Amino acid sequence: MKKKVAIIMGGYSSEYKISLKSGNVVYEYLDKDFLDAYRIHIFKDKWVYVAPDNTEHPVNKDDFSIVVNNEKIQFDCVFNAIHGSPGEDGLMQGYFELLGIPQTSCDYYQAALTFNKRDLLSVLKAYGIKSAESYYLNLGDVIDEDAIIDKVKLPCFVKANKAGSSFGISKVHKKEELYAAIENAYKEDDEIIIESFLNGIEVSVGVIKYKGETKVLPITEIVTENDFFDYEAKYEGKSTEITPARLNKTQEDNVIAMAKKAYEVLKMKGFSRSEFIFIGDEPYMLEMNTTPGLTTESILPQQAQQAGISLEELFKNAIEEVL
């Protein structure tokens, strides 16, 4: 009997369109001789199975089952392709844990922790993983511009604490720009992290569980035409992604060690993609994504292919790891 796999995609955040692309690529490349794949769209107003003819069938949230042609279908495994909430912040992970359904991403605690940039960097700091100087704001806090600038200096980055794909992020060069940047970040989240600008090589490092072992994929260097790696640079061709990255041996060894350490310290599973900036030979972590983009153009699939792992093998391995 072939295993039945639900590919969840969509989500509640600004990233839902990218998630739908990722989920459809997973659906396209999954080995249909090995399993039966079902596209499940998760939105605030509906959870539905989208059939090959694009008809929609509601998902029973009590047991995450569907009914097709009067037959009830229950899933052996869930492939998580939701970027942002509720797929990357622990909500779906906790739900599937309660239902006893294996799923391909990390567990609920790791998802919630990594989704919160402030908490993630605080935890990893104790393990010697460096990050930029930072200042925290919550919605309603007094905005003391002088105190912020005194701590993080200019230029600085203002980021929504719990958002991906560079939504709610601004680079601030002058004090007069700070308030508008904070307002922009609050559109995405009620928590903000303001970080000092690190001027160095930016890299993205994929780490996966592959054939039972932690595997660090070839490193990607990010060279953006814009002022930083924003949404336009990520998704609209305003950047160059160079894999493998142009690093010296010390830089390469250091960032591989840091990415692997972060993955193992946090007891991660499935895919992760961590972003670092080098100051000299030292990598400083920016964030970790636990459901990174999985389109053919996305960074982690590019890295896997550089490592000789096809998309078919990448996705099949993710399912085999949890079944």
Side-chain angles (χ1 to χ4, degrees):
M1 286 284 291
K2 288 197 283 186
K3 299 289 187 184
K4 292 179 168 54
V5 176
I7 306 163
I8 59 172
M9 60 187 89
Y12 303 164
S13 78
S14 303
E15 299 180 83
Y16 77 92
K17 288 181 182 175
I18 303 152
S19 170
L20 292 175
K21 283 185 182 177
S22 289
N24 279 304
V25 168
V26 174
Y27 179 74
E28 182 185 340
Y29 280 91
L30 272 182
D31 185 349
K32 305 301 193 295
D33 295 329
F34 168 64
L35 47 83
D36 291 324
Y38 298 78
R39 295 177 297 168
I40 306 289
H41 287 191
I42 305 284
F43 295 112
K44 280 184 178 172
D45 60 343
K46 63 179 180 181
W47 290 21
V48 293
Y49 159 58
V50 180
D53 63 1
N54 288 323
T55 57
E56 295 184 352
H57 306 261
V59 173
N60 181 344
K61 293 182 184 178
D62 292 340
D63 59 1
F64 198 68
S65 65
I66 57 174
V67 175
V68 181
N69 298 328
N70 295 318
E71 179 194 354
K72 181 173 180 174
I73 295 169
Q74 293 188 287
F75 299 105
D76 299 295
C77 173
V78 171
F79 194 111
N80 184 3
I82 296 177
H83 313 314
S85 187
E88 202 165 4
D89 57 1
L91 294 177
M92 297 304 294
Q93 288 86 345
Y95 169 73
F96 291 124
E97 176 87 7
L98 288 171
L99 291 178
I101 302 174
Q103 53 88 35
T104 56
S105 63
C106 60
D107 292 333
Y108 61 90
Y109 168 74
Q110 286 80 359
L113 178 68
T114 52
F115 196 65
N116 187 310
K117 298 180 183 78
R118 302 187 327 195
D119 291 357
L120 170 71
L121 297 174
S122 297
V123 167
L124 291 178
K125 194 173 186 179
Y127 292 92
I129 295 173
K130 296 178 179 178
S131 54
E133 190 70 64
S134 58
Y135 189 103
Y136 301 163
L137 279 176
N138 292 340
L139 188 62
D141 286 353
V142 173
I143 298 169
D144 186 336
E145 295 177 340
D146 291 327
I148 294 168
I149 292 167
D150 186 54
K151 184 161 192 203
V152 302
K153 309 297 185 272
L154 290 173
C156 66
F157 281 102
V158 178
K159 302 177 180 179
N161 187 40
K162 304 186 296 290
S165 294
S166 297
F167 288 109
I169 181 169
S170 306
K171 187 175 181 182
V172 173
H173 297 269
K174 298 182 290 190
K175 181 179 176 180
E176 301 83 70
E177 300 167 351
L178 186 58
Y179 190 83
I182 290 168
E183 290 295 299
N184 180 53
Y186 277 142
K187 290 175 187 172
E188 291 293 328
D189 191 16
D190 61 0
E191 296 176 354
I192 290 176
I193 180 170
I194 304 173
E195 292 179 324
S196 60
F197 170 57
L198 301 175
N199 189 17
I201 300 167
E202 182 169 354
V203 296
S204 190
V205 188
V207 185
I208 62 174
K209 197 65 79 175
Y210 186 70
K211 300 188 186 301
E213 302 288 330
T214 302
K215 183 175 181 64
V216 180
L217 298 172
I219 301 156
T220 299
E221 180 182 347
I222 309 297
V223 182
T224 176
E225 295 173 27
N226 293 356
D227 202 16
F228 64 96
F229 194 43
D230 59 6
Y231 183 92
E232 195 179 51
K234 276 183 182 171
Y235 300 110
E236 295 174 7
K238 297 285 186 175
S239 69
T240 304
E241 294 154 9
I242 301 165
T243 311
R246 299 166 299 181
L247 303 176
N248 65 44
K249 183 71 165 64
T250 303
Q251 289 171 329
E252 186 178 338
D253 290 347
N254 286 349
V255 81
I256 286 172
M258 282 296 164
K260 188 175 185 191
K261 185 177 188 179
Y263 190 95
E264 293 184 336
V265 157
L266 296 176
K267 299 183 173 66
M268 288 292 299
K269 298 189 307 189
F271 303 140
S272 85
R273 200 194 71 231
S274 297
E275 320 301 329
F276 295 87
I277 287 182
F278 282 96
I279 302 300
D281 290 339
E282 287 296 316
Y284 283 66
M285 182 180 264
L286 301 177
E287 63 178 352
M288 180 188 285
N289 301 284
T290 58
T291 52
L294 296 173
T295 70
T296 50
E297 303 84 31
S298 296
I299 291 173
L300 190 136
Q302 287 181 37
Q303 294 174 341
Q305 290 185 307
Q306 186 77 26
I309 303 168
S310 67
L311 289 179
E312 292 94 335
E313 175 60 22
L314 182 70
F315 300 149
K316 183 179 179 183
N317 176 78
I319 291 165
E320 288 176 333
E321 285 291 326
V322 298
L323 282 176

